[in-house]
Amino acid sequence: MKNILLLYFSGTGITSHYASLICAGFEKRGYKCDLRDLEELADLPTLWQKKPVALNYTINAEVKRPLSNYPWPYHDLKRALRSAWANPLFSGFSRDWDKYDLIGFGSPVYAFRPAPVMIRFLLDLPVFNRPIRSFSFATHDGAQGDYEVFMKEILGSKGFNFVGHLDQSFIYSASVVMRSTFNHLSAGRLLQKKSRQAAEKINLFLDYLESLDSDRSYIYPGPGPLSKLVGLPYRLVYSYGIDLILNHFLFGYGINKDNCILCMTCVNQCPQGLIELDDDGYPIRLYHCMYCLRCLNWCPTNALYFSPATKDKARFSGLEVLEESVKRHARDYKPHHS
Ligand SMILES: Cc1cc2nc3c(=O)[nH]c(=O)nc-3n(C[C@H](O)[C@H](O)[C@H](O)COP(=O)(O)O)c2cc1C
Ligand code: SF4
Ligand code: SF4
């Protein structure tokens, strides 16, 4: 194991931060680690809008379908795998990725699964002839559900040798948009604490990866016992529960035109390029949104909201703002020794 590639999608920057921590862990041990943002690698609007149905939940979300029609996530995946194809745009990756001994694929957890755009990308990859070792990584707010199962299945179907999974919760950035306040300083401190925890966990994972090259043969145990143990109730809760929560609190699109300063930040930030302008020149979102929350969070005047639950609520303005807040506090409240 010498050359490592980490490929990630990040809606609001947390997964990107995590990928950097993982890369730093590899580099500390003398490996070469390349970081690639999916948005630089693939044209997301084309990837998404040509075949948007990575999974049904984002498409159907705005139709507010009856709960009884909710597709079981795992069946969803099986169906998607059956109709997977090799996107000619990505055929070059087989050659480009040949130099890597290990590739990590990461995204935030959305609705207990990998972010749909990452699933779409993986489904569109060609099948690799050489079983390159791969692992998945995720950031989430505490419940990653079937994330690992999805990644293991998809990467396996593309010829990768799936060796494990790494994950971390950071600052609960998604629920911020439903809270009335958001304290940058305490969130910044939490970020630092979680980053330290993440680094420790990454180290253990790297020990494990290195053990793969030792004489001991190791068989990846697969997703933890929890998903197998709790089985049906677990699937019911997350199938119906997440649908209920997201439909009522998150999905939707609203704009308070009085607050909009036509800065176009939301238009430029949308990774799927699906915010356009209406007849009056104000932003309007078309379908197939994947709810990364970037437009919502990044709007400088808080003109956008997705539901009454997110209207006039706090916003997560990016990791840099949190880090700056911690630094400023340390500067301003330096203990004075007289
Ligand atoms: C649409 C949506 C769905 C989410 N679903 C889950 C979930 O099912 N479980 C969870 O623990 N976190 C969930 N989250 C939280 C994100 O996984 C978490 O905030 C992540 O760290 C964001 O990473 P990013 O900044 O790279 O986008 C969700 C966030 C969004 C926007
Ligand atoms: S419209 Fe907003 S939430 Fe939807 S994908 Fe674009 S930036 Fe993300
Ligand atoms: S980011 Fe906000 S203020 Fe700027 S164009 Fe979009 S809605 Fe208007």
Side-chain angles (χ1 to χ4, degrees), residues 253 266 269-275 285-286 288-296 306:
Y253 184 84
C266 56
Q269 279 292 344
C270 175
Q272 293 172 183
L274 49 81
I275 302 185
R285 193 194 64 205
L286 302 176
H288 308 322
C289 168
M290 62 177 179
Y291 302 95
C292 70
L293 305 188
R294 212 182 276 180
C295 58
L296 196 69
F306 281 4

Side-chain angles (χ1 to χ4, degrees), residues 1-14:
M1 187 171 76
K2 283 193 205 88
N3 288 323
I4 291 106
L5 170 67
L6 296 187
L7 175 63
Y8 65 89
F9 167 75
S10 184
T12 52
I14 309 273

Side-chain angles (χ1 to χ4, degrees), residues 9-16 57 107-113 139-145 168 170-175 242 246 250-251 290-293 316:
F9 167 75
S10 184
T12 52
I14 309 273
T15 312
S16 159
Y57 83 93
S107 86
V109 173
Y110 285 174
F112 299 105
R113 299 166 235 177
T139 67
H140 52 80
D141 284 354
Q144 55 179 329
Q168 183 72 37
F170 279 90
I171 59 157
Y172 317 112
S173 57
S175 56
I242 198 75
L246 294 185
L250 216 48
F251 293 144
M290 62 177 179
Y291 302 95
C292 70
L293 305 188
F316 163 58

Side-chain angles (χ1 to χ4, degrees), residues 32-56:
K32 190 174 173 312
C33 179
D34 290 339
L35 269 182
R36 290 277 177 286
D37 185 337
L38 181 55
E39 287 178 64
E40 292 164 15
L41 208 67
D43 176 39
L44 259 51
T46 312
L47 177 66
W48 185 266
Q49 285 167 19
K50 279 212 177 133
K51 289 190 88 196
V53 194
L55 293 171
N56 282 333

Side-chain angles (χ1 to χ4, degrees), residues 56 60 65-72 240 243:
N56 282 333
N60 293 339
R65 66 197 179 282
L67 288 177
S68 55
N69 287 346
Y70 194 95
W72 288 58
Y240 291 103
D243 193 37

Side-chain angles (χ1 to χ4, degrees), residues 21 25 54 57 62 71 83 132 134 151 187 200 217-218 238 250 252 260 262 266 279 292 297-298 304 313 329-330:
L21 293 177
Y57 83 93
E62 296 176 38
S83 58
I132 308 175
S134 73
M151 292 299 260
E200 283 170 23
S217 65
Y218 184 93
Y238 79 65
L250 216 48
C260 176
L262 300 175
C266 56
D279 293 341
C292 70
N297 279 318
W298 273 215
L304 293 175
K313 291 290 164 51
H329 187 269

Side-chain angles (χ1 to χ4, degrees), residues 53-57 68-84 111-113 119 123 146 149-150 153-154 232 235-236 238-240:
V53 194
L55 293 171
N56 282 333
Y57 83 93
S68 55
N69 287 346
Y70 194 95
W72 288 58
Y74 203 64
H75 291 179
D76 235 2
L77 174 67
K78 294 276 179 208
R79 197 174 50 237
L81 278 174
R82 275 199 299 275
S83 58
F112 299 105
R113 299 166 235 177
I119 298 179
L123 287 173
D146 267 352
V149 178
F150 268 54
E153 291 258 346
I154 303 174
L232 185 67
R235 279 169 195 281
L236 278 177
Y238 79 65
S239 290
Y240 291 103

